[in-house]
Amino acid sequence: MHVPDGFINAPTSAVTGVVAAGAIAVSLRGARRELDERTAPLAGLVAAFIFAVQMLNFPVAAGTSGHLLGGALAAILVGPFTGVLCVSVVLLMQGILFADGGLTALGVNITDMAIVTTVVAYALFRGLVKLLPRTRRSVTVASFVAALVSVPAAALAFTVLYWIGGTTDVAIGKVATAMIGVHVLIGIGEAVITALTVGAVIAVRPDLVYGARGLQQRLKLRVNGELVDAPGASGPAPAPVAARSHRKVWITGLVASLLLAGFVSFYASADPDGLEKVAADKGIDEKTEEHAAADSPLADYGVKDISDARISGGLAGVIGVGVTVVAGSAVFWSVRRRRSDDASPADTETTV
């Protein structure tokens, strides 16, 4: 759903740029409460993983594909503020290095793909985990639903932005119907990827899933016909997070990201994604402008002057994962909570 230059007019793009800048500023401050010296590198890994999975377009309808947006996944794994930053880092790397998503439309893309998806998904996720039984399966189910809803929500947000500042004269009702319809289907793919990833992490390291914190079940006793918490019976204290190495998880995640971007991406669908398909069918791409980074040596996810498509695309994917994990880790390390500060939420590990 990367919006190119020319879809949205300059005034609207400028306003969304201000909105995006403000949201990033707030997120930088909020991320400090979500990150510490142990979890900051993991947030960089989440950004790299999202970059890698976004290269894996999957077919959703005849001649149309979709890809992960990542807002729900990032928010649930590392927190909503950090999640906004994760997706923003990915969008920045994609726009500058790979000519994917316009530079003048960067504010539009951050507002739509980073802010809207993260806020909608995490709000819905938190509501669901409060209603569902306090189990690991409930976290996975809530992740599925939150991710599913976040994608058509982003499609609706784009439709509103197009209604305000679209550069072509197309009936907004047609745009809304087409965008939301195809992105409901893409949302199913987003939900499956998000639920599988969250479920895999929570199965081995529930302490690393931000959205699962605080869900420890206490032992209940029946007193006079009513269930009450058993005093001091929340089970044996888990090992402190500091005593549990994140290195294996980080290495495993990085290797998986490199394999996805460097090898599996070659088999991704070549069909246009939902926004591209709707734009071509409805004529909202008539004033699309050439990307400012069109001459980048990595434009269109290929390495310039390498003729073999498999090698070119795979190498570009590996470079993208490397650059994203370095850039993301640098950002998150700089805003992390220091040990001398108040105890991090990660220090109060819980199990589900």
Side-chain angles (χ1 to χ4, degrees):
M1 198 190 290
H2 296 75
V3 179
D5 296 321
F7 273 28
I8 306 295
N9 63 28
T12 306
S13 296
V15 171
T16 57
V18 173
V19 171
I24 289 174
V26 171
S27 296
L28 286 169
R29 186 177 182 87
R32 188 170 181 270
R33 299 193 297 271
E34 298 171 347
L35 298 171
D36 59 21
E37 294 175 352
R38 296 177 296 274
T39 57
L42 294 173
L45 177 63
V46 170
F49 182 77
I50 290 172
F51 174 91
V53 180
Q54 282 196 2
M55 294 184 66
L56 308 181
N57 280 46
F58 49 85
V60 294
T64 308
S65 70
H67 62 73
L68 182 81
L69 298 185
L73 178 61
I76 295 166
L77 288 180
V78 293
F81 294 107
T82 308
V84 169
L85 297 178
C86 279
V87 182
S88 297
V89 168
V90 172
L91 293 172
L92 186 61
M93 295 299 102
Q94 291 170 331
I96 294 175
L97 298 179
F98 298 91
D100 189 9
L103 295 184
T104 62
L106 186 59
V108 173
N109 285 317
I110 290 176
T111 299
D112 194 25
M113 296 176 64
I115 301 171
V116 171
T117 58
T118 301
V119 171
V120 170
Y122 197 71
L124 181 55
F125 172 82
R126 293 307 305 173
L128 288 172
V129 295
K130 289 181 179 179
L131 296 175
L132 295 172
R134 297 157 67 90
T135 65
R136 295 180 181 181
R137 181 173 296 179
S138 295
V139 174
T140 304
V141 170
S143 301
F144 183 95
V145 176
L148 174 63
V149 174
S150 71
V151 178
L156 178 60
F158 168 79
T159 303
V160 172
L161 292 175
Y162 180 80
W163 175 58
I164 296 171
T167 56
T168 54
D169 187 15
V170 180
I172 193 63
K174 294 182 178 180
V175 176
T177 300
M179 282 292 293
I180 296 173
V182 72
H183 283 90
V184 167
L185 299 178
I186 295 173
I188 296 173
E190 177 104 11
V192 170
I193 294 170
T194 301
L196 287 176
T197 305
V198 172
V201 177
I202 204 171
V204 295
R205 288 295 301 271
D207 58 293
L208 298 183
V209 180
Y210 183 91
R213 295 174 183 171
L215 296 181
Q216 183 176 4
Q217 279 190 299
R218 295 182 61 87
L219 178 65
K220 298 286 187 177
L221 297 178
R222 187 173 296 277
V223 178
N224 297 327
E226 296 183 0
L227 289 175
V228 297
D229 289 334
S234 58
V241 175
R244 306 179 65 184
S245 174
H246 295 172
R247 181 176 300 176
K248 183 181 294 187
V249 174
W250 195 91
I251 293 175
T252 301
L254 181 61
V255 170
S257 299
L258 291 171
L259 287 174
L260 291 172
F263 177 73
V264 180
S265 62
F266 181 77
Y267 301 97
S269 173
D271 290 331
D273 69 17
L275 175 58
E276 293 171 332
K277 180 65 173 176
V278 171
D281 289 348
K282 304 302 178 183
I284 66 177
D285 60 351
E286 294 178 358
K287 296 186 178 181
T288 303
E289 301 173 3
E290 184 179 14
H291 200 287
D295 294 331
S296 166
L298 297 173
D300 298 323
Y301 298 93
V303 178
K304 190 176 182 180
D305 298 330
I306 295 182
S307 57
D308 187 293
R310 185 189 298 269
I311 297 175
S312 177
L315 184 56
V318 168
I319 293 172
V321 168
V323 171
T324 304
V325 75
V326 170
S329 297
V331 170
F332 302 128
W333 187 259
S334 67
V335 301
R336 74 195 186 285
R337 180 189 296 271
R338 271 67 169 183
R339 290 182 184 275
S340 59
D341 293 338
D342 295 335
S344 167
D347 293 329
T348 56
E349 178 188 348
T350 58
T351 58
V352 291

